[in-house]
Amino acid sequence: YQAKRDRTGVEVYESKRDSNTPDRLGLLGDLRRALDAHEVQLHYQPKVRFDGQVAGLEALVRWVHPERGKVPPDEFIAIAESSGLMPHLTEYVLETALEQVARWRSGGIRVPVAVNVSPRDVHTPGFAGSVAARLARHGVPAGALQLEITEHVLLEDPQRAADTLAALTGHGVKMSLDDFGTGYSSLVHLRRLPVSELKIDRSFVARLAVDTEDAEIVRCTVDLAHSLGLLVVAEGVEDDETWERLRDLGCDAVQGWLVAAAMPPEEATAWLRFRQTSVGSPTRRPLPPGE
Ligand code: C2E
Ligand code: MG
Ligand code: MG
Ligand code: MG
C-alpha cells in the first residue's frame, strides 16, 4: 500500500491501474496505432552542469491523442507496461532517439541522449544485444546513449536484471538511476547496480530551499553518490534558490524548468546551437538579448 502513496502521503491517482476498463483498452489500441503511424514524439530536456556545460539530454515521450489531447506519459506508460506493448514502445523510443543523435552528430552537435527504460525492458531476453545492434545500425557510439532505469528493475529477478545491466555497460552504454529515493531503495541496490549516475527525485528537490529535512536528504544522497563514484543530477529544479543550494551541496548537474522544459527536436537543436556558441555558456535560461 505504501507504494501507492507518494512521499507526502497523498494518495496517487490509481484508476489507470484498473486494467481492462473499456477506456484503457481504447487508449491501448489508439497507442498501438499512434506508434505505427509515428504520431508519438520525443521531446528533449537538457541536463546541465553548474559550469554551464550541457551534460546531455533526456528523451521524454509525448503523445497528443486526436480526441483527448495530450495524454501524460505516466498514464500511457502504465498501460503499455501492463499490456505487453512496452517493448514496442521502447523500441520506438530508442529508434527515434538514436536517429536524432545521429542527426545531431552529423550536424556537429555531440550530445549524449538518455532514454527511459522500464523494468519490463530490462527483463526482456536479448535486450542488451538489441540495444547494441541498434547503436551499430545508426553508427552511434555507445557512449552517446544513456539508459535511465529505476530501482524497480530489481523487484523481479534481481540477478537477471544485474546481468542485463552489466551487459549493457559492457557494450559501453551508461546507466543512470532515476527517481532515486522513491522506490524500495536501499544502499544495497545501489551497490548492486552498475550505474554511473544517480538522479535525485523531484519530490526531494522541490522543497529543498524551504525544508531542512529535504535539504539533509539531498546532502546525504550527494555525498553517498560521490563516495560511490557516481555523478548526481537533481530533477525538477524550478527556481534560482534551489539551483544555488544544489550547487553548494556539490550536486553535479540539474534538470528542470529553470533551465529548460522538454523541447521538440527543432527547438532542442536551436537551444543546443545557442549553448554551443554563447560565450561563457550561461547555466540558466539565457537572458533576452540586450540584458
Ligand atoms: P522521469 O524520467 O523522472 O522524467 C522527469 C519528469 O519530470 C518528466 O515528466 C519531465 O517533463 C518532468 N519535469 C522536468 N523538469 C521539471 C520541473 O522543473 N518541474 C516539474 N514539475 N516537472 C519537471 P514527463 O515527461 O511527464 O514524464 C513522466 C515520466 O514518464 C518520466 O519520469 C518517466 O518515468 C516516464 N517516461 C517518459 N518518457 C518515457 C519513455 O520514453 N519511456 C519510458 N519507459 N518512460 C518514460
Ligand atoms: Mg528519467
Ligand atoms: Mg526521474
Ligand atoms: Mg519521475
Side-chain angles (χ1 to χ4, degrees):
Y1 192 61
Q2 195 72 5
K4 292 180 184 158
R5 294 169 174 267
D6 70 13
R7 278 185 69 247
T8 53
V10 176
E11 190 98 28
V12 174
Y13 177 60
E14 283 286 305
S15 83
K16 62 187 178 193
R17 307 219 184 269
D18 308 338
S19 48
N20 301 330
T21 59
D23 194 48
R24 256 182 88 103
L25 290 176
L27 262 189
L28 174 60
D30 292 347
L31 178 57
R32 199 169 269 141
R33 275 189 292 277
L35 289 173
D36 290 341
H38 291 257
E39 283 167 15
V40 172
Q41 297 198 320
L42 294 186
H43 285 193
Y44 297 88
Q45 186 182 35
K47 299 181 185 180
V48 175
R49 296 199 200 104
F50 288 90
D51 65 1
Q53 292 285 322
V54 179
L57 296 173
E58 177 178 7
L60 292 159
V61 76
R62 294 289 179 264
W63 181 27
V64 182
H65 188 282
E67 283 119 41
R68 299 169 195 246
K70 290 180 193 170
V71 186
D74 284 326
E75 198 162 312
F76 66 85
I77 280 155
I79 293 176
E81 264 171 349
S82 59
S83 67
L85 190 61
M86 200 61 220
H88 186 40
L89 176 64
T90 299
E91 277 169 26
Y92 180 94
V93 171
L94 275 170
E95 194 63 20
T96 310
L98 289 178
E99 265 168 25
Q100 185 60 61
V101 173
R103 206 171 296 132
W104 276 327
R105 289 175 70 82
S106 67
I109 298 176
R110 298 188 165 221
V111 64
V113 168
V115 166
N116 293 280
V117 298
S118 104
R120 270 303 141 79
D121 301 312
V122 175
H123 289 285
T124 299
F127 180 66
S130 81
V131 170
R134 210 176 284 281
L135 282 162
R137 188 145 34 76
H138 286 279
V140 170
L145 178 67
Q146 196 179 36
L147 297 179
E148 295 193 3
I149 54 164
T150 65
E151 298 147 279
H152 299 289
V153 299
L154 291 171
L155 287 181
E156 175 201 325
D157 201 344
Q159 189 54 54
R160 187 175 55 191
D163 290 348
T164 300
L165 299 179
L168 284 163
T169 55
H171 289 301
V173 176
K174 295 229 164 55
M175 304 301 304
S176 172
L177 189 57
D178 206 352
D179 303 343
F180 185 75
T182 59
Y184 306 81
S185 58
S186 75
L187 309 177
V188 176
H189 287 180
L190 248 193
R191 213 178 37 175
R192 202 165 193 167
L193 291 173
V195 298
S196 56
E197 176 185 283
L198 183 153
K199 296 180 77 174
I200 304 178
D201 192 71
R202 187 170 78 227
S203 61
F204 301 100
V205 175
R207 295 170 34 79
L208 169 67
V210 290
D211 185 317
T212 53
E213 284 184 4
D214 282 359
E216 265 321 297
I217 290 170
V218 171
R219 179 200 304 281
C220 293
T221 307
V222 170
D223 292 348
L224 168 75
H226 283 167
S227 69
L228 294 171
L230 308 179
L231 291 171
V232 189
V233 178
E235 308 185 314
V237 179
E238 296 183 0
D239 58 81
D240 287 308
E241 208 182 334
T242 305
W243 185 90
E244 278 157 20
R245 297 292 297 274
L246 286 162
R247 182 199 53 201
D248 296 346
L249 289 172
C251 187
D252 299 293
V254 296
Q255 223 180 347
W257 297 343
L258 178 69
V259 179
M263 299 170 275
E266 317 74 55
E267 205 182 305
T269 307
W271 188 92
L272 287 164
R273 291 226 181 274
F274 179 81
R275 278 303 169 120
Q276 247 180 3
T277 52
S278 63
V279 182
S281 308
T283 300
R284 285 167 276 176
R285 222 196 304 268
L287 295 170
E291 285 186 46

